[in-house]
Amino acid sequence: MNLFFNKKKENDPKSAIIKLRETREMLEKREKHLQAKIDNELVIARESATKNKQRALTALKRKRMLEAQLDKISGSLMTVEGQAMAIESANVNLETFKTMQQASEAMKAMHKDVNMDKIDQTMDDIREQTDRANEIAEVISRPDALGFAELDEDELNAELEELEQEELDKQLLSAERAPVTLPQVPAGAVRAQQPISPLHQANAHADEDDELNELRESMGMLA
C-alpha cells in the first residue's frame, strides 16, 4: 500500500511540476558553470597564442568540448521548461474541469427537489395575490370609501359666487355710511382769494406815487 501511495504521489501534477523546477534549477547552474569554463579556456588560448601554440590548441579543444556540452544542457533546459509549462497548463485545465464538474453536481442537487408544476402554481398564486392587493389599494384610495358622496362642482361654484356678492354688498354699504371730510385750507390762502375794493386799490396807487416822487428828489439832490 505504501508503494502504491508513493507511486500515486509521484504522478501528482504538483509533484511533477516541483520536480521539473528542481531539474531546471540544476541545469541552469550547470549551464553557468560550463560557460565560466569556456570563458576561462578562451582566455588561456588568447594568452598562449603567441607564446605556446600547443597550449593554445589544447585550450581551444577543451573549449569546443565544453561548448558541445553546453549546447546539450541548453537543449535539455528548453525541454524541461516546455514540459513544466505543459504540465502547468494541463493542471490548470484539470482543476478547471473539476470545479465545473463540482458546480454542475451542486446545481443538480439544488434542482433535485424543484418541481416545475410547483413553480407554475407558486407563480400563479403570486400573481393572484398581487391582483388582489391592487384591488384592495384601489378601493381604499376612493373618496367614497368611507361613505362620502362625490361633491358637485356646480353647487360649489354657486355658493362661492353668493359669498363674493355678500362681500361686495358689505363693502358698498360701508362706503355710503362713511362721513365726507374736506381738506383744510390755510387762512392766508383764503384771504388771498378775497376781492380787492376800489378804495384799497386807490390807496395802493397813491403810496406808489409817493415812493416814486421821493426817489426822483433823491436823485436830483445827488445830481
Side-chain angles (χ1 to χ4, degrees), residues 123-155:
M123 295 304 297
D124 291 339
D125 293 341
I126 292 174
R127 283 191 289 267
E128 182 179 355
Q129 294 302 321
T130 302
D131 294 339
R132 186 172 184 181
N134 292 333
E135 292 178 359
I136 293 173
E138 184 178 357
V139 171
I140 292 175
S141 61
R142 290 176 183 174
D144 57 346
L146 298 178
F148 295 108
E150 294 184 0
L151 299 176
D152 189 354
E153 292 186 0
D154 294 336
E155 293 181 358

Side-chain angles (χ1 to χ4, degrees), residues 1 28 88 114 142 155:
M1 294 179 65
E28 288 176 349
E88 288 176 354
V114 176
R142 290 176 183 174
E155 293 181 358

Side-chain angles (χ1 to χ4, degrees), residues 200-220:
H200 184 73
Q201 290 180 356
N203 293 332
H205 288 301
D207 293 337
E208 291 178 358
D209 293 338
D210 293 339
E211 291 179 356
L212 181 60
N213 292 329
E214 291 179 358
L215 180 60
R216 289 175 177 174
E217 292 176 358
S218 61
M219 291 177 65

Side-chain angles (χ1 to χ4, degrees), residues 154-168:
D154 294 336
E155 293 181 358
L156 292 175
N157 291 327
E159 185 176 357
L160 179 60
E161 290 179 359
E162 291 179 0
L163 294 175
E164 291 177 350
Q165 188 62 40
E166 290 179 1
E167 186 65 23
L168 290 174

